[in-house]
Amino acid sequence: KRSWADYQSGPLDFAKVFGAREFDWPHYAYSTRRVWRVFDIVAPNSKFSPYVDSLGNNLPFSVQPEHLMSPRDVIAILRDH
């Protein structure tokens, strides 16, 4: 077991570690908008706002699709953004 994380300072914040940094303007704005768009396609009834902070803290980590996703659906999502 390697101790690469400092769990003394609190739980792992996945978005902060792997997401965009606030000084990455304008790149982080595009990343959070792409995440929102995927959520909007797979779970449209969730009605998430596209206007989020720089780390997307207003968005959940993941969503459950409202219908069974096919490989063609995934390709369509990748082409959408």
Side-chain angles (χ1 to χ4, degrees):
K1 180 178 177 182
R2 294 187 171 108
S3 297
W4 291 338
D6 177 17
Y7 296 106
Q8 303 282 331
S9 62
L12 175 67
D13 185 343
F14 188 87
K16 192 171 187 180
V17 172
F18 296 103
R21 296 169 303 276
E22 295 195 28
F23 54 82
D24 282 343
W25 176 259
H27 301 99
Y28 67 78
Y30 300 119
S31 297
T32 54
R33 188 55 62 97
R34 285 193 298 266
V35 170
W36 166 81
R37 181 63 180 142
V38 171
F39 289 173
D40 189 53
I41 292 170
V42 301
N45 290 326
S46 297
K47 305 285 187 208
F48 295 112
S49 172
Y51 305 103
V52 297
D53 67 358
S54 61
L55 295 175
N57 287 321
N58 306 37
L59 296 172
F61 178 76
S62 62
V63 295
Q64 183 171 354
E66 293 178 6
H67 67 278
L68 185 62
M69 303 295 293
S70 71
R72 195 173 300 269
D73 292 327
V74 174
I75 291 169
I77 291 170
L78 292 172
R79 286 183 174 173
D80 186 77
H81 66 280

